[in-house]
Amino acid sequence: MRTCINLQTDGDLLESELNEIYVAAATSNKDTINIDQFVSVYKGIDNLFEDDEDESELSTSIASPVDTEGTFATNESQLQSSFTQLAQNNQVSKSTLRQWDDVRSLIDDESILGIDEFDDLWDKAVGDASDCMDYKAFVAFNEALDELFVLEDEEVEAMLESGEGEQYTMVQDGADTASTPRQPKPIITETDLPPAVLFSQLANENYLVLKEDLSRWGEMCDMLSEGDLTTIELNELWNEIDKAPGTKDALDEEGFLKLCEKIDELFEDEDEEVEQSNDDTSANSGAQDLKEELLEFIQDLGKLSEEEGRQPCGLDCTELEQERVLEIVGELEQEPYNLVAQGGESNTVPKEVRKEDLVGNWDLIYSSSSTMKYNEGLSGLAGGLTRFGGVQQRLTATKYLSDVEYVEQVVGKLGGNSFEVIVTGDWDLRTEVSLFTGKPSNVLSVTPDSVKYGPRSDKADHWKSLGPMNLLEMQIVANSPVNRFV
C-alpha cells in the first residue's frame, strides 16, 4: 500500500494533479472532506493509473481524529530506522513495542486497536511464546498492522451505502493533520503517595495498570535509574503478581497493592542489611582501635625497656604501665565482638575455642606473671652474664596428637654466650572457672615433657619455673588470640 506521499516522492503523482483532484472533490470546505468526497478523490487518483496494469494497487493513507502520531512505517528504510531506535541487542521486547508511539496511539483508543488484537498480531509475527522479536518479525508485525487499515474498494462502497459520513483528513506532503496531537500522560512526581492513590493516578479508563504505565511512576523511575531496583527485579515481582481477570499483563487495584508491598519488602531487607552492616562496621572499627591502642602501647613499652636496659615483654614495667595494659585488655574482653563472650545464655558459658584456631607460632609480647618476673624469663636460666631475650610458643595439632614447643632466647651480655632453651610437651583445650572472673573460660592446658639447652636435656616435671606456661586462659578477641598467663 502506497500513500499519496509515496506516489509524489516516486514521481508517480504530481502535486498539481493531486491538488486538481482534491479541489474538484472538496466543493465547500477546502480543509476537510467527508466520505463521499474522499471516494471521489480516491477514484480520481485511481483513474490516473488505470492504463498501467503492472502498477501496484493504490491505497491512500487516512488518519482518524485520534490517530495523530503519524503514519506507519511502510518501507524498508522507515522500518529499519524504527527498529534501530526500539531494539536492544537486535531484539524488541513486547513491552517496548507497546510503548512505540505508532502502536500506543492506536491502543489508547480501543476502537482502533484493541489489546487482544495487538496480542494476536504479536503472536503471529513472533510465531512462538518468545518475549522478543527480531527485525524479520518486526516487519511482519507492521505488515499485518497495515493490513488492518487497508480500505478495499468494496469496503469503501459499503461505507457509502451505510451512510457513515465521518470526516477524514487527507495526509498530504507538508500539510498538518486536522486533529490535535495526543498529549502524553504526565509523570507522577509526588513522593510517598499511598498505594491506593498512586493506583488511581496510574490506572487507565478500565481501572487497570499496565506494565508500561509504571514508567509514569516518578519514584519507580528514580529507583531504576539510581540502581536501587533493577529491571530484572521489577520484572520478577511483576510476574509473581496475579493479573486482573480476563487480562494477561494488567493489574487491578488488589494486584497493584501487592506489587507495592513486594517492592517495600525489598527495601526493608536492604535497610536491615545496611543496619547490620553498620553495626558490624562500628564493632569492627571499635575492636581495631582498641587492638591498635594495646599493640602501640606495648611497642612503646618495648622501646622504652630497650633504651633503659630493662627486661622485654613488660617484665620490668612499672605498676602504672601494667595497670594501663590490663585496662585496655579488660575493655577488649567486654566488647560484644569478643568471640569468647559469644557463648551460651547470658554469656555464662564461653564459646568453644577450636584447636585449629590456635595452631601456629605465637610471640610473647607482654606478660604480667610475677613468676616470670622473679625468674627473669620462662626457664630461669637467664641471669648473670645473660638476659631474657623473648619466647615463642609453637602449637601443632593433628587428629590424634597436639604438640607444643616453647623456644626461649637467652642473650649473652658482657662476654656471655647466647643460647636457646627449648621446652617440649603436649597441649589440650578445656573449660575451667577463671580465677579472674569466676566464670567458665577456655583454658590452654600444657603438660611439659623436656627442657633442652646446649647439650643438656632434662625432664620438665620438676622444673618449677615453667609453671606460668602450664595453664593459660584464652581470650579470643575478633579472631585475634591474646594469651593471659595465669
Side-chain angles (χ1 to χ4, degrees), residues 305-330:
S305 297
E306 186 175 354
E307 292 173 358
E308 297 181 355
R310 298 192 298 181
Q311 297 273 17
C313 302
L315 297 185
D316 279 345
C317 69
T318 65
E319 185 175 345
L320 289 177
E321 291 168 341
Q322 179 176 317
E323 288 179 357
R324 181 54 186 153
V325 172
L326 296 179
E327 180 182 350
I328 301 175
V329 171

Side-chain angles (χ1 to χ4, degrees), residues 164-428:
E164 297 181 5
E166 295 290 337
Q167 291 190 335
Y168 291 82
T169 302
M170 293 293 296
V171 180
Q172 300 184 31
D173 189 15
D176 295 331
T177 57
S179 57
T180 304
R182 183 183 64 84
Q183 295 296 324
K185 295 181 180 179
I187 299 293
I188 301 171
T189 57
E190 293 88 348
T191 59
D192 298 326
L193 290 176
V197 175
L198 184 60
F199 173 79
S200 65
Q201 296 189 20
L202 291 175
N204 57 22
E205 63 276 6
N206 296 320
Y207 212 56
L208 297 173
V209 170
L210 302 175
K211 193 172 184 179
E212 51 265 32
D213 292 329
L214 298 180
S215 62
R216 295 179 47 234
W217 184 0
E219 284 186 293
M220 173 68 70
C221 295
D222 292 340
M223 288 187 285
L224 291 172
S225 62
E226 294 173 3
D228 296 330
L229 180 69
T230 66
T231 303
I232 295 177
E233 289 175 326
L234 178 59
N235 289 337
E236 289 177 351
L237 295 179
W238 179 271
N239 294 334
E240 290 175 4
I241 306 298
D242 293 334
K243 304 306 181 288
T247 68
K248 295 181 179 179
D249 58 352
L251 298 181
D252 54 18
E253 183 172 5
E254 181 181 357
F256 182 78
L257 296 182
K258 288 183 179 179
L259 176 64
C260 292
E261 183 179 344
K262 287 184 175 292
I263 294 175
D264 288 340
E265 289 175 356
L266 281 181
F267 288 95
E268 286 177 1
D269 293 340
E270 289 184 1
D271 291 341
E272 291 176 0
E273 291 174 1
V274 170
E275 184 177 351
Q276 181 63 40
S277 176
N278 291 336
D279 291 343
D280 293 342
T281 301
S282 176
N284 291 333
S285 176
Q288 189 66 24
D289 291 343
L290 283 174
K291 286 188 291 183
E292 290 179 357
E293 181 181 356
L294 176 62
L295 294 175
E296 288 177 2
F297 187 76
I298 291 177
Q299 287 174 359
D300 292 340
L301 283 180
K303 293 178 182 178
L304 185 61
S305 297
E306 186 175 354
E307 292 173 358
E308 297 181 355
R310 298 192 298 181
Q311 297 273 17
C313 302
L315 297 185
D316 279 345
C317 69
T318 65
E319 185 175 345
L320 289 177
E321 291 168 341
Q322 179 176 317
E323 288 179 357
R324 181 54 186 153
V325 172
L326 296 179
E327 180 182 350
I328 301 175
V329 171
E331 291 178 11
L332 282 169
E333 292 175 358
Q334 298 302 319
E335 290 295 330
Y337 47 76
N338 183 354
L339 299 182
V340 174
Q342 299 172 8
E345 184 176 356
S346 301
N347 292 330
T348 58
V349 179
K351 182 177 180 180
E352 181 182 359
V353 178
R354 302 172 302 173
K355 285 188 176 182
E356 50 264 36
D357 295 330
L358 303 178
V359 168
N361 299 335
W362 303 98
D363 291 320
L364 176 67
I365 61 175
Y366 179 85
S367 174
S368 61
S369 169
S370 58
T371 302
M372 288 193 65
K373 290 182 179 182
Y374 177 80
N375 292 315
E376 298 184 4
L378 178 63
S379 64
L381 295 175
L385 297 179
T386 59
R387 65 178 179 84
F388 173 65
V391 62
Q392 185 181 74
Q393 178 192 62
R394 300 173 182 175
L395 299 176
T396 60
T398 64
K399 185 176 181 181
Y400 302 104
L401 298 175
S402 298
D403 297 327
V404 61
E405 182 179 80
Y406 286 90
V407 180
E408 180 184 27
Q409 301 296 329
V410 179
V411 181
K413 62 180 181 178
L414 298 176
N417 295 323
S418 300
F419 59 92
E420 288 184 347
V421 180
I422 301 177
V423 182
T424 59
D426 301 325
W427 67 283
D428 198 6

Side-chain angles (χ1 to χ4, degrees), residues 154-171:
E154 294 81 1
E155 293 174 329
V156 173
E157 293 175 2
M159 292 174 61
L160 272 173
E161 294 176 0
S162 64
E164 297 181 5
E166 295 290 337
Q167 291 190 335
Y168 291 82
T169 302
M170 293 293 296
V171 180

